[in-house]
Amino acid sequence: MFKMKKAQLLLVLFLSATFIGSAGDLGVSLKGSTNGIGADVYYRPFKSLAIKAGYEIIDVNITSQSLQPLVGDALSVSVPMPSGGDLGFDLGANFRTGGMSFQVGFQPIGLFYLTAGYGTFLLDAAVIGSPTSDLQLPSQNVNGNTVNPFIPQDKIGDFVINIKPTSKTAPYVGVGLGSFVPRKSGVSFGLEVGAYYTGAFVMAAQLPVGFIADNIDYGGATPSQSQKQQVETEMNNIRNDLQANLDTQMNDLNDLLKPYPIYPVLKLTIGIRLAEFGKK
C-alpha cells in the first residue's frame, strides 16, 4: 500500500513539474463522487482543453451496532443448518473504492464538457455476518448420556460475501455541466455524470473459518475417538453442503451481473486556478 501511494505521489509531482514548464493554467480540482473524495492537479494548455491527474478514495465500515440507532434493531439473518435449527448472523458491511485517475476534458461550448480517461479502480465491497449463537452439531450418546457438541459463538468467525470488479484498471467517460476547470475566473464548479468500464463484477462467499474440528466443544464430556470422528464427519458434511449451496447461489448472481460491466459515477468538482504561465 505504501509503495503504491508513493508511486502515485511521484507521478502527480512529475506531471506538476511538466505542466509548470509549459504555457497554460495550473491548479487543483477538489472532487467528491461515488468513487471517493480526493483532488486532481490540472493543466489547461488551451481554452477548451485541460488535463487532470489525481487520486480519490472512500473507505466505510458499518457494523450492525452502528445501524441499530437508525433502524431500531440490529440487522440480522438466520441460516438454516443441515443438522437442524438456524444459525443467526448480525450484518455489517465494508465498502472501499477509489484509485488514481488521469482525465482529458474538452469544453467546446458554454457550460457543457466531455471527458475521458483511465484509472485504477479499487472497489472492494463486502457484507459481513457475525454469529449471534453457537453452532449446534448432532447429539451423541457418551457413556449412556446424551451430549450436544457445538462450536462456541466466539470461535465460529465471520461469514463474508464480497464483490469485486473483473479488472483493477478501467477506462472512464463522462459528460458535465459547468466547467471542467477554471476558464474565465479563478474558480470553477462542475457536475459530472460518467462511468468506469470495469468488466463484470464478481461475487464470492466465504464460510466462517471456525468451522473446524479443533473448535468443537463437547461440554466437558470425553467421547471416544470413533464418536469424535462421527461428529467431525457431520460437521464437514454441514460445511460442504453450505459451501456448495453458496457457490450455486453466487454463480447465479454472477450470471445476473454479467450484463452490467460498468460502475456509475456522479461527481462534483471545485477547480481553483493557482498560476498562469505564458499566453494562451
Side-chain angles (χ1 to χ4, degrees):
M1 179 65 71
F2 176 76
K3 290 183 178 179
M4 182 180 68
K5 289 185 177 180
K6 184 177 179 181
Q8 292 165 349
L9 178 60
L10 289 174
L11 179 56
V12 171
L13 292 175
F14 171 77
L15 290 172
S16 300
T18 302
F19 296 160
I20 291 174
S22 305
D25 293 353
L26 178 69
V28 296
S29 180
L30 307 178
K31 57 184 177 180
S33 75
T34 51
N35 196 44
I37 298 173
D40 294 315
V41 174
Y42 80 79
Y43 170 60
R44 184 169 72 93
F46 307 107
K47 182 177 180 180
S48 59
L49 184 71
I51 302 168
K52 290 181 179 180
Y55 189 76
E56 59 192 343
I57 190 170
I58 185 170
D59 193 348
V60 179
N61 298 314
I62 302 172
T63 65
S64 59
Q65 289 75 20
S66 64
L67 289 174
Q68 192 167 356
L70 299 176
V71 299
D73 199 0
L75 295 179
S76 61
V77 296
S78 295
V79 179
M81 294 290 105
S83 57
D86 296 335
L87 181 60
F89 291 91
D90 283 344
L91 296 181
N94 293 338
F95 182 83
R96 177 184 173 87
T97 188
M100 187 172 182
S101 62
F102 176 82
Q103 285 181 250
V104 176
F106 177 59
Q107 188 149 8
I109 54 172
L111 298 177
F112 172 79
Y113 66 85
L114 302 171
T115 179
Y118 203 79
T120 57
F121 186 73
L122 307 179
L123 176 68
D124 188 357
V127 175
I128 301 172
S130 301
T132 60
S133 60
D134 301 333
L135 172 62
Q136 299 294 330
L137 298 170
S139 60
Q140 294 287 316
N141 186 294
V142 178
N143 299 323
N145 297 315
T146 299
V147 175
N148 296 307
F150 66 96
I151 296 179
Q153 174 185 342
D154 60 350
K155 292 185 177 180
I156 294 175
D158 291 337
F159 170 76
V160 180
I161 297 177
N162 59 42
I163 180 168
K164 296 182 179 181
T166 302
S167 175
K168 291 294 185 180
T169 58
Y172 173 83
V173 294
V175 297
L177 293 175
S179 293
F180 186 65
V181 299
R183 303 175 73 193
K184 296 181 180 180
S185 66
V187 178
S188 67
F189 299 90
L191 174 63
E192 188 174 310
V193 178
Y196 281 100
Y197 184 83
T198 60
F201 291 90
V202 179
M203 296 183 67
Q206 175 185 316
L207 287 177
V209 296
F211 279 21
I212 57 175
D214 290 343
N215 290 335
I216 298 176
D217 191 319
Y218 292 91
T222 307
S224 66
Q225 189 62 35
S226 62
Q227 289 171 325
K228 282 186 176 182
Q229 289 177 349
Q230 184 174 347
V231 173
E232 291 172 10
T233 298
E234 289 287 348
M235 186 200 67
N236 290 334
N237 289 339
I238 292 173
R239 182 180 60 205
N240 293 338
D241 288 345
L242 286 173
Q243 190 65 63
N245 289 334
L246 283 171
D247 289 344
T248 298
Q249 294 179 30
M250 292 300 104
N251 289 336
D252 291 342
L253 289 172
N254 287 332
D255 287 339
L256 293 175
L257 291 173
K258 284 181 180 179
Y260 308 100
I262 62 172
Y263 181 83
V265 174
L266 178 63
K267 182 188 300 184
L268 293 172
T269 65
I270 302 175
I272 303 171
R273 181 188 298 143
L274 298 180
E276 295 183 71
F277 302 94
K279 295 181 180 180
K280 299 177 287 297

